[in-house]
Amino acid sequence: MRHFVRGYCDERFGSDWYINAELSLKVHTGSSTLARQIQVNALKGTNNALTLPAGTSLFDLRVKEMPPADHLSETQGLRALSLEAALVRAMPNVWQADALTMQLALGMLKDTSAINRILLDGDHTTIAGRIAGALRAVDRAELADEVLKTMRSAGHSIVEQNPFDVPVQSARALPESPYCARIKAMWELMREQVMKAWTTPVRTQGTPKEYLDEAEVRYLADAYHSLSIEGYQVTPEMIDRVRKGTWGSGDTERDRQERNAMAAKGYFEAHKAVRASLLRVLEGQNPGVRLRTDLQAWYLALWSPSVQVGLVKPSELAGWRGSQVFIKNARHTPLPPEAVRDAMPLLFDLLEAETEPCVRAVLGHFVFVFIHPYMDGNGRLARCIMNLMLATGGWPWTVVTLDIRDEYMRALDAASSDQDIKPFTRLLSSLVQAQLIDGPKGPASS
């Protein structure tokens, strides 16, 4: 989408365009989701909207003049306002509508020299009071005082006003990466939502062996549904034969190398690796520590069979992805590859420090697919992470079934695009509850 917006606007408007303040702030602060309406300000704008995929549109607003060159920057491939210029130009309601982005933007300010220059040049006394109040609200009182002192020294009367309508977190020690800062802030925002929306009480678990035996009963159903959700054409019979090592007996070479069979083989090998990690967690080891140690082993197990028969390039086993990936029909775009290397260690840290089992399970799954660290296999591994974390609450291995795939994907998109984790939490909680009451559905249940 960003490539399209850039190419489309360059062709129509040359260099005389830029995205509006609100979207500029989103891209500066590591948001990977475009607004439902992308507003572009252009000298030759026509005040018309162009309908785009995934329920989005592009509106080209005609403006009389372009901002000064030092108020513009190239960010995530788009011609955006600088961080400081965007903060000054942001509409008052944005401080309430997207407090997370505004908090992160304030945390990224290294000093007030650039923003003071813009405020003074435009005689923005009301905006100066709003920014000073916002800075104080996020625990950056020294910058708030600098804004007030500078404006008052120029003879302006400033009334400080906090523009946020809810309490916000401190922005004094944000991670250096804006993507990591956003993930960390999302975690803190969403964990309260998760704890309120999760309705399945913690269960006292039996012995590790009893838990693993119960999980093994669910393997056929889990493999069938997890692979089917990702578009593989598998059957319970194929999965069972792969598990027993009888796939390929008397079959043709082509069948042995068939994509779906190798996916089933990889899932079985990954399942064994996950069981080994699960045992360590059931014995009391921190699940975040275990995941940090074992995730790459899960990934290698998932893809080694396909690599060994030549269906997947060996380079895919290297680790974190090295190029951009996209999700069809979603406003959210996974993080750029250079951000993954910072974001994954942060996820491990967050899981290691988290004390609530339901938060570990819900946000462990969600943040993993939000980052999308691998070129493929992220959904299957996310559901394995979810189950590793569910075990810490005594909850059984839980199968996400094919019949709710659309609801499942919509809930993930709501969390990624709108920071609303409640639908995903309620969905997972209901699935866990169903496993406790009814046990697992059959492999081909619909």
Side-chain angles (χ1 to χ4, degrees), residues 175-177 179-180 183 292 315 318-324 334-349 368 370-375:
E176 189 171 330
S177 162
Y179 299 98
C180 288
I183 289 171
R292 188 194 305 269
S315 59
W320 310 139
R321 58 182 165 85
S323 56
Q324 185 64 57
L335 304 192
E338 63 273 13
V340 172
R341 294 169 179 81
D342 293 324
M344 284 305 297
L346 173 62
L347 173 58
F348 299 139
D349 290 344
F368 182 82
F370 181 86
I371 297 169
H372 230 72
Y374 299 112
M375 290 301 294

Side-chain angles (χ1 to χ4, degrees), residues 192-226:
E192 298 299 324
Q193 298 178 17
V194 171
M195 287 189 288
K196 289 179 181 178
W198 186 270
T199 57
T200 306
V202 170
R203 186 180 72 153
T204 301
Q205 63 187 36
T207 66
K209 183 181 184 305
E210 290 171 337
Y211 188 97
L212 291 172
D213 287 347
E214 185 183 8
E216 193 62 24
V217 173
R218 291 168 161 80
Y219 173 72
L220 279 181
D222 180 62
Y224 171 79
H225 288 288
S226 194

Side-chain angles (χ1 to χ4, degrees), residues 33-327:
T33 302
L34 287 178
R36 293 196 180 275
Q37 183 171 84
I38 303 158
Q39 182 180 311
V40 171
N41 299 336
L43 293 182
K44 295 182 180 179
T46 57
N47 298 327
N48 286 314
L50 173 70
T51 300
L52 298 174
T56 63
S57 62
L58 187 152
F59 185 82
D60 57 287
L61 178 70
R62 186 181 184 90
V63 295
K64 294 181 179 179
E65 60 182 4
M66 289 287 289
D70 61 350
H71 289 196
L72 297 171
S73 67
E74 297 284 331
T75 307
Q76 291 192 28
L78 296 172
R79 198 185 309 277
L81 289 165
S82 68
L83 179 70
E84 293 82 2
L87 279 167
V88 171
R89 289 174 178 247
M91 299 296 290
N93 68 311
V94 177
W95 296 90
Q96 295 89 45
D98 194 0
L100 175 61
T101 291
M102 303 308 285
Q103 169 197 320
L104 294 173
L106 294 169
M108 292 176 65
L109 288 176
K110 292 182 172 58
D111 56 58
T112 62
S113 56
I115 203 165
N116 282 339
R117 189 173 298 109
I118 297 170
L119 291 169
L120 290 167
D121 286 345
D123 193 21
H124 298 298
T125 55
T126 301
I127 295 173
R130 184 183 306 142
I131 289 175
L135 284 166
R136 201 174 304 282
V138 298
D139 197 25
R140 305 205 68 182
E142 71 286 356
L143 296 189
D145 291 339
E146 287 177 14
V147 170
L148 296 176
K149 181 172 62 176
T150 301
M151 294 297 289
R152 287 167 179 164
S153 69
H156 297 293
S157 178
I158 304 295
V159 177
E160 182 177 325
Q161 179 184 11
N162 180 1
F164 295 110
D165 60 355
V166 293
V168 288
Q169 300 171 32
S170 171
R172 292 187 64 85
L174 293 178
E176 189 171 330
S177 162
Y179 299 98
C180 288
R182 179 169 287 272
I183 289 171
K184 190 172 183 181
M186 282 171 48
W187 189 285
E188 290 303 314
L189 174 71
M190 289 180 171
R191 74 183 306 273
E192 298 299 324
Q193 298 178 17
V194 171
M195 287 189 288
K196 289 179 181 178
W198 186 270
T199 57
T200 306
V202 170
R203 186 180 72 153
T204 301
Q205 63 187 36
T207 66
K209 183 181 184 305
E210 290 171 337
Y211 188 97
L212 291 172
D213 287 347
E214 185 183 8
E216 193 62 24
V217 173
R218 291 168 161 80
Y219 173 72
L220 279 181
D222 180 62
Y224 171 79
H225 288 288
S226 194
L227 288 164
S228 298
I229 284 172
E230 304 304 327
Y232 289 99
Q233 303 298 311
V234 294
T235 64
E237 293 74 23
M238 173 192 288
I239 293 166
D240 194 38
R241 287 173 63 193
V242 165
R243 176 172 63 167
K244 293 175 179 176
T246 60
W247 179 264
S249 300
D251 294 316
T252 65
E253 181 68 11
R254 179 180 177 183
D255 284 341
R256 284 196 294 272
Q257 296 186 14
E258 198 247 340
R259 174 177 176 268
N260 297 313
M262 289 303 100
K265 174 67 172 172
Y267 196 81
F268 176 59
E269 296 300 327
H271 175 75
K272 291 193 294 184
V274 174
R275 279 177 60 89
S277 303
L278 189 55
L279 176 61
R280 301 293 295 274
V281 169
L282 292 169
E283 291 173 341
Q285 189 167 110
N286 184 289
V289 172
R290 195 71 253 157
L291 184 65
R292 188 194 305 269
T293 303
D294 293 350
L295 178 61
Q296 182 63 7
W298 298 4
Y299 177 75
L300 293 175
L302 187 68
W303 288 109
S304 289
S306 295
V307 168
Q308 290 170 13
V309 298
L311 293 174
V312 174
K313 295 185 298 183
S315 59
E316 295 301 325
L317 297 178
W320 310 139
R321 58 182 165 85
S323 56
Q324 185 64 57
V325 294
F326 302 94
I327 302 174

Side-chain angles (χ1 to χ4, degrees), residues 1 32-34 36 53-56 326-334 409 412-414 416-417:
M1 186 73 81
S32 51
T33 302
L34 287 178
R36 293 196 180 275
T56 63
F326 302 94
I327 302 174
K328 187 177 181 180
N329 295 326
R331 288 190 295 131
H332 165 67
T333 300
M409 298 305 291
L412 280 170
D413 190 52
S416 297
S417 300

